[in-house]
Amino acid sequence: MFKKNSKHMARNNEVESPAINIIRKGTEITGDVSCSGDIRIDGRLKGTLSSEGKVVVGQSGIIDGEITCKNADISGTIKAKLVVKELLQLKATATFY
């Protein structure tokens, strides 16, 4: 039997991996979305999106509102005020209003 403060106690060896949030095609969200990791939008978001990571908007993705993020990779439709702190990539399929 181990003592409560023994060095033989089990350790939590969980490795924290970056979170990737996905809003799939066919999903519609109205409101504000905030995340600390990366997010991919293949559905529709009407509102404010704030991410400390990368925002990816797929070809079927539509964002109508305001986006603030570290990096962005846009292939879909953006009808928003866009604030990118580091790198913005606009693909050939991107539509930006």
Side-chain angles (χ1 to χ4, degrees):
M1 185 170 204
F2 296 113
K3 293 180 183 177
K4 189 172 185 176
N5 292 326
S6 171
K7 63 181 176 182
H8 298 288
M9 289 185 68
R11 292 186 180 156
N12 185 355
N13 290 329
E14 251 181 60
V15 176
E16 195 172 311
S17 62
I20 298 174
N21 301 289
I22 300 174
I23 298 173
R24 301 230 184 251
K25 186 176 181 177
T27 302
E28 293 186 23
I29 294 177
T30 301
D32 299 337
V33 176
S34 178
C35 63
S36 59
D38 297 343
I39 187 165
R40 179 178 177 97
I41 309 288
D42 289 314
R44 182 181 189 106
L45 172 66
K46 186 171 185 178
T48 301
L49 172 60
S50 177
S51 172
E52 294 176 20
K54 183 176 186 177
V55 171
V56 176
V57 180
Q59 285 187 348
S60 62
I62 300 171
I63 298 180
D64 187 356
E66 187 172 320
I67 304 166
T68 303
C69 60
K70 184 176 180 181
N71 298 304
D73 187 339
I74 311 297
S75 297
T77 303
I78 302 295
K79 300 174 186 176
K81 175 184 174 186
L82 179 61
V83 178
V84 180
K85 296 175 184 170
E86 290 185 12
L87 180 65
L88 170 63
Q89 294 181 324
L90 294 173
K91 305 294 183 174
T93 57
T95 305
F96 188 62
Y97 298 98

